Amino acid sequence: MTSILLWVKPWQRDGHKIIQWDISIYYTYLPATFIYNDVALQEKWPVDLAEYDLWISRKFEGKELLKMSSGMAYMYAPWFFVAHAITKINMPEMATGYSLPYQIALAFGAVFWATLGLYFLFLFLKRFVSATAAFIVLGLLLFGTNLFFYVFWDGAYSHAALFALVAIFLEMGERFIQKQNMKKALVLGCLAGLLVLIRPVLLIHVFLLGAFYLYRLKGKIKLLHLGIAALAAFVIWLPQFFYWHYISGHWLYYSYGDEGFFWNNPKIIEGLFSWRKGWFVYTPIMLIIFPGFWMLYKKQRQWFWLITPLFVIHLYVIFSWWCWWYGGSYSQRAMIEIYPLLALPIALLIQQILKLKWLFLVVSFSALTVLTAYNMFTTRQYQRSLIHYDAMTKEAYQAIFMQQWWPANYDDLIDPPDYEAAKKGARDL
């Protein structure tokens, strides 16, 4: 994993900052707290935060409120502190929190979390399928989906971290069912708190997963362990409550302003199949989840009745968001956090494929190899901007299909969305 990152080297690409856009908001909690002692962003810093595309949600009597909650700051923290210590000792003039050493540190941190997530997902899958099938699934997820881009290129976004946390949660949940103890309850509580703090809509997922594990324990859960898990989750959230109260005067505050959900008009079909950002258009290998769900129903009925509704709920929630295409992104990045759950039906399907006669086996894995290669090629296209970050159309897709250079009339083929209209409810963009 590290060797791939050193080959990609996102910190050396022209015009690309690792700390920018959403990452800049997630990350600013750390330098604001531990370098500048200015969480309200009231002082003049030696860096221009506008260069890192920092969005400020609202101002309260001179205090500026960061739009996103602080969950990712927990995930960045180990790498931030290491980078800050090394930079302060060796290059004190660069110890600003935003210079190159900090950016490189976040890139390596993303690879660490993704590697840890893949390891725990492997352990989880091995409970249901062979090590061979589990290993193949990890390869398909990493190289055949947009997970690759969000580990090695834009790894500091929340997606690799969420992938890891969900994978760890699944394995730790199984361990807790096998043998309850305070340590596992504490870990599960911290994981639940982090998941929701990074992405508040995952509260639904965490609740359903928790209910699923409680059901399987058949009332044998110890109240002490339940209390420890709840307390751990609350403690994870405590700094966020204090931050909101210090800036806005409210213990709980909706910081996204005029951005919200349109629950009566989810764009599920567009989110899955549109040329602008269709998940199955740009990550077609994930179509295997449908035969996978059938295998899940046949082999693991309990998990089927958890994962299938969660998948449907996830689609409904993320595609009800005002910006259902999720801005500048490759494929549907909001799907990555449920890849660990989808890995189980895929693994059961792979296990079945491995039992086929050699001709069907070769055909099946040839198709998976082609789809994986397609993902790697289109990832490169997106990184080079042949696949536009938010304005793709059918005509643009056809013009750049399997191409390495832009068509002469590329600007005439794309169709940028109207973000302001989308905030007000325009859904057909």
Side-chain angles (χ1 to χ4, degrees), residues 345-389:
I346 294 172
L348 293 170
L349 177 64
I350 296 298
Q351 180 91 319
Q352 192 66 26
I353 291 174
L354 289 171
K355 298 176 182 178
L356 296 175
K357 294 181 179 180
W358 71 269
L359 179 60
F360 296 103
L361 186 67
V362 169
V363 170
S364 298
F365 278 102
S366 295
L368 292 174
T369 301
V370 168
L371 291 173
T372 300
Y374 168 84
N375 179 73
M376 297 304 293
F377 184 82
T378 54
T379 298
R380 176 62 174 162
Q381 284 186 309
Y382 180 80
Q383 184 264 319
R384 295 185 61 209
S385 298
L386 270 81
I387 295 177
H388 197 276
Y389 58 84

Side-chain angles (χ1 to χ4, degrees), residues 190-254:
C190 289
L191 290 169
L194 271 174
L195 281 166
V196 179
L197 186 56
I198 295 172
R199 186 79 74 247
V201 294
L202 293 182
L203 176 63
I204 303 169
H205 303 56
V206 170
F207 175 80
L208 290 177
L209 276 168
F212 176 69
Y213 289 129
L214 288 175
Y215 168 77
R216 289 172 60 197
L217 283 166
K218 301 186 185 302
K220 297 179 181 178
I221 181 72
K222 295 180 181 178
L223 291 179
L224 175 62
H225 294 159
L226 200 59
I228 288 172
L231 180 61
F234 177 76
V235 170
I236 291 290
W237 267 80
L238 205 54
Q240 185 67 49
F241 292 138
F242 278 108
Y243 170 76
W244 278 331
H245 189 265
Y246 175 67
I247 302 295
S248 71
H250 303 282
W251 290 105
L252 192 64
Y253 185 80
Y254 185 78

